[in-house]
Amino acid sequence: MSCAPPPPILRLHPPSSISPFSSPRRPHLSPRTCPWRLAAAREMPWPHVLTVAGSDSSAGAGIQADVKACAALGAYCSSVITAVTAQNTAGVQGVHLVPEELIREQLQSVLSDMSVDVVKTGMLPSAGIIKILCESLQKFPVKALVVDPVMVSTSGDSLSDPSTLTYYRDGLFAMADIVTPNVKEASKLLGGVSLHTIADMRDAAESIYKFGPRYVLVKGGDMPDSSEAIDVFYDGKEFVEFRGHRIKTRNTHGTGCTLASSIAAELAKGSSMLNAVQVAKNFVESALHHSKDLVIGNGPQGPFDHLFRLKCPPYNIGSQQRFNPDSLFLYAVTDSRMNKRWGHSIEDAVKAAIEGGATIVQLREKDIESRPFLEAAKACMEICRSSGVPLLINDRVDIALACNADGVHVGQSDISAREVRELLGPGKIIGVSCKTPAQAEQAWRDGADYLGCGGVFPTTTKANNPTLGFGGLKAVCLASKLPVVAIGGINATNAGSVMELDFPNLKGVAVVSALFDRECVSSETRNLRSILASVRCLA
Ligand SMILES: Nc1ncnc2c1ncn2[C@@H]1O[C@H](COP(=O)(O)OP(=O)(O)OP(=O)(O)O)[C@@H](O)[C@H]1O
Ligand SMILES: Cc1ncc(CO)c(N)n1
Ligand SMILES: [Mg+2]
């Protein structure tokens, strides 16, 4: 079958009413009327954020920041430009508004054709522009709307007309999933109240919530004299304080735009709001950290590097699958002493576990020298890659980096998941051993992918490891926003009872001695897998 390519964009007709450069109206095509869509055998959805914002000539904030942040987080970003600003690291020198009809036209062009998941707004400089946006969103509803009510630049220059306040409060906010003012903007929205403390930020979030958004995040980036950058989140019932390290740097131009578009990107990828805000907050903090010493421009406030992860060594775009929590179903954790006892090499043990149906493997080698460990890890990587089973390394980030493992598992006394994430980059899997709801919360905040919770039963594999029982496991599962794998004393006799607990985020069991302190690792694994499968199907 031959597929016609998209027609070229021709400008053969007389100029339209909008500007001498605009092309004639072309019909808005639906997928069914696009012959070239048939060319794709398997269509892959691409999370899509549309930013409706102003251009920043210094490219640290505005549309330019939004496009970079979305790209860094794996979302496509289209843009409707509301204004063109002349800015640099010293401040805003000029602002020119795009004609309202052309803004309407841009919205129509993108929203009618491009399957936008989330709209994020930045600089909406006039009341008329907000009105046009509300109308367009009514015509083309999207999954979520993130409103960053940009009013004043950090340099103190005004970026919106005072008449917009009413249109934000009485129009756009009611359509918004989240509104993200900084303290100055929150104050303006509330008629000039002064905000100095966290308690003030909470009060402001509560008042702004009354305008109708589903969530409010009052950002504290500009709160003076704090070693932490604290943002206050409110969902109408509860407050959550998002606390991060305050990075000492002049390069904070565009943090607000970046935070809002990162939230939008995560929502477009399917995250919950709380998770999206946490990922966005971590992303801004990491970007500032990696950019703190960069120098661009001579003014007081410089841009930062949204694409810092491209410079991180293990950033292998496309080489890894995204973490699939179902891979925790039967988690095989190796132990060198057990292997020695049975005369197995690490490679043989891993091969046998995979043959028997292990769905993820962790090398937990506590008494082996670094060099032979790395050699074995490289060999295990080949085995795991060829079978599509992820391989994680316990604790040793250096070994994981050197063998390009799929991730690292850390305990409470190892370096934190946040630090591991910094070292490994975004594409790797990070697991954390947790015994309490508080540890589970921290692991999620630190950017981990899953929790190992135990010991569920008494175990001899790990010394001084208190037993949690089903009660402790339940408490962690209920508190955890991450998938959980149960560990500790699990074997063929009791694995079924763990799976029968049926907590939604309890994805599987991790086993050490039940597989590796045995002569035939593959048949032990096969047996355990069939026990697990008799309780729960692996999706
Ligand atoms: N120095 C810093 N270190 C760490 N995080 C910061 C720092 N400055 C701001 N942030 C964080 O960046 C995010 C954006 O908040 P901020 O208050 O700076 O927004 P904003 O004033 O709208 O930014 P801008 O207008 O410059 O784009 C928040 O999560 C805030 O906590
Ligand atoms: C265009 C634009 N949007 C937003 C901000 C806020 O940082 C800015 N400085 N410039
Ligand atoms: Mg801002």
Side-chain angles (χ1 to χ4, degrees), residues 234-405:
Y234 184 60
D235 65 5
K237 285 196 203 86
E238 286 173 36
F239 294 96
V240 179
E241 278 171 27
F242 286 91
R243 289 169 177 266
H245 301 288
R246 180 176 292 279
I247 311 297
K248 287 199 181 67
T249 176
R250 74 184 261 279
N251 297 329
T252 57
H253 179 62
T255 43
C257 306
T258 303
L259 187 85
S261 38
S262 305
I263 293 171
E266 290 305 307
L267 293 176
K269 283 153 66 179
S271 280
S272 68
M273 186 60 81
L274 212 53
N275 204 40
V277 173
Q278 185 64 59
V279 170
K281 175 101 179 128
N282 288 353
F283 177 74
V284 171
E285 186 187 312
S286 296
L288 293 180
H289 169 74
H290 283 271
S291 309
K292 61 185 189 307
D293 301 321
L294 298 177
V295 181
I296 289 193
N298 296 305
Q301 218 199 10
F304 58 91
D305 184 1
H306 293 77
L307 302 180
F308 66 98
R309 282 167 176 166
L310 292 176
K311 296 177 193 154
C312 297
Y315 196 67
N316 303 301
I317 299 166
S319 74
Q320 264 94 34
Q321 300 260 326
R322 258 186 86 84
F323 172 58
N324 176 0
D326 288 332
S327 64
L328 300 174
F329 189 63
L330 175 43
Y331 190 148
V333 183
T334 69
D335 181 294
S336 41
R337 271 167 304 156
M338 293 175 194
N339 287 339
K340 238 180 248 154
R341 195 174 307 146
W342 293 97
H344 301 148
S345 67
I346 303 176
E347 295 91 313
D348 288 345
V350 167
K351 208 181 275 170
I354 291 176
E355 263 170 35
T359 52
I360 187 167
V361 174
Q362 182 192 132
L363 302 187
R364 183 173 175 272
E365 301 294 325
K366 297 282 184 190
D367 49 9
I368 176 170
E369 300 277 326
S370 296
R371 200 168 295 185
F373 186 13
L374 179 57
E375 288 315 309
K378 283 180 178 168
C380 292
M381 267 314 289
E382 279 189 29
I383 297 164
C384 287
R385 276 273 148 81
S386 62
S387 359
V389 171
L391 180 82
L392 272 56
I393 308 291
N394 185 291
D395 188 14
R396 296 285 302 268
V397 179
D398 57 338
I399 300 286
L401 283 169
C403 73
N404 195 17

Side-chain angles (χ1 to χ4, degrees), residues 29-335:
L29 296 172
S30 79
R32 268 180 288 283
T33 58
C34 309
W36 55 89
R37 279 283 292 262
L38 300 175
R42 206 174 115 245
E43 297 197 340
M44 298 261 290
W46 192 351
H48 185 160
V49 174
L50 162 63
T51 171
V52 182
S55 162
D56 166 9
S57 55
S58 76
I63 287 276
Q64 289 82 352
D66 298 340
V67 172
K68 286 185 279 186
C70 288
L73 291 167
Y76 185 79
C77 186
S78 52
S79 54
V80 164
I81 301 189
T82 57
V84 176
T85 69
Q87 293 188 59
N88 59 21
T89 57
V92 181
Q93 291 81 40
V95 176
H96 188 81
L97 270 54
V98 171
E100 289 183 1
E101 269 319 297
L102 187 56
I103 294 173
R104 192 191 292 281
E105 183 78 6
Q106 292 179 71
L107 285 164
Q108 169 80 16
S109 293
V110 176
L111 289 168
S112 66
D113 174 45
M114 296 183 75
S115 310
V116 171
D117 295 302
V118 179
V119 168
K120 177 258 162 185
T121 71
M123 183 176 170
L124 302 176
S126 73
I129 292 173
I130 300 183
K131 198 164 159 270
I132 287 169
L133 177 62
C134 290
E135 285 162 9
S136 300
L137 289 171
Q138 263 147 10
K139 192 167 167 196
F140 300 105
V142 290
K143 284 186 207 147
L145 173 63
V146 176
V147 174
D148 183 21
V150 170
M151 290 173 188
V152 190
S153 76
T154 315
S155 51
D157 302 277
S158 175
L159 296 172
S160 72
D161 189 87
S163 65
T164 57
L165 278 177
T166 316
Y167 281 76
Y168 269 123
R169 287 188 301 226
D170 301 341
L172 199 58
F173 282 3
M175 301 174 84
D177 288 85
I178 187 165
V179 176
T180 63
N182 61 25
V183 281
K184 280 187 213 134
E185 289 153 352
S187 161
K188 276 196 164 215
L189 285 163
L190 298 171
V193 293
S194 45
L195 305 175
H196 300 293
T197 63
I198 300 293
D200 295 341
M201 289 166 74
R202 283 178 171 234
D203 290 345
E206 221 170 353
S207 302
I208 293 169
Y209 180 82
K210 294 194 181 120
F211 296 126
R214 293 178 63 206
Y215 302 95
V216 179
L217 183 76
V218 178
K219 300 171 294 187
D222 294 336
M223 292 290 265
D225 305 330
S226 164
S227 63
E228 289 180 305
I230 305 168
D231 304 340
V232 172
F233 178 89
Y234 184 60
D235 65 5
K237 285 196 203 86
E238 286 173 36
F239 294 96
V240 179
E241 278 171 27
F242 286 91
R243 289 169 177 266
H245 301 288
R246 180 176 292 279
I247 311 297
K248 287 199 181 67
T249 176
R250 74 184 261 279
N251 297 329
T252 57
H253 179 62
T255 43
C257 306
T258 303
L259 187 85
S261 38
S262 305
I263 293 171
E266 290 305 307
L267 293 176
K269 283 153 66 179
S271 280
S272 68
M273 186 60 81
L274 212 53
N275 204 40
V277 173
Q278 185 64 59
V279 170
K281 175 101 179 128
N282 288 353
F283 177 74
V284 171
E285 186 187 312
S286 296
L288 293 180
H289 169 74
H290 283 271
S291 309
K292 61 185 189 307
D293 301 321
L294 298 177
V295 181
I296 289 193
N298 296 305
Q301 218 199 10
F304 58 91
D305 184 1
H306 293 77
L307 302 180
F308 66 98
R309 282 167 176 166
L310 292 176
K311 296 177 193 154
C312 297
Y315 196 67
N316 303 301
I317 299 166
S319 74
Q320 264 94 34
Q321 300 260 326
R322 258 186 86 84
F323 172 58
N324 176 0
D326 288 332
S327 64
L328 300 174
F329 189 63
L330 175 43
Y331 190 148
V333 183
T334 69
D335 181 294

Side-chain angles (χ1 to χ4, degrees), residues 477-530:
C477 285
L478 287 180
S480 174
K481 297 179 191 76
L482 295 172
V484 179
V485 61
I487 188 164
I490 296 174
N491 55 40
T493 318
N494 58 26
S497 64
V498 177
M499 285 310 243
E500 274 161 11
L501 293 172
D502 212 27
F503 308 137
N505 58 349
L506 180 61
K507 296 292 177 185
V509 297
V511 266
V512 190
S513 55
L515 302 187
F516 295 110
D517 211 1
R518 298 286 194 279
E519 186 168 11
C520 185
V521 174
S522 61
S523 57
E524 298 297 340
T525 315
R526 202 167 294 118
N527 180 37
L528 193 57
R529 177 147 177 163
S530 71

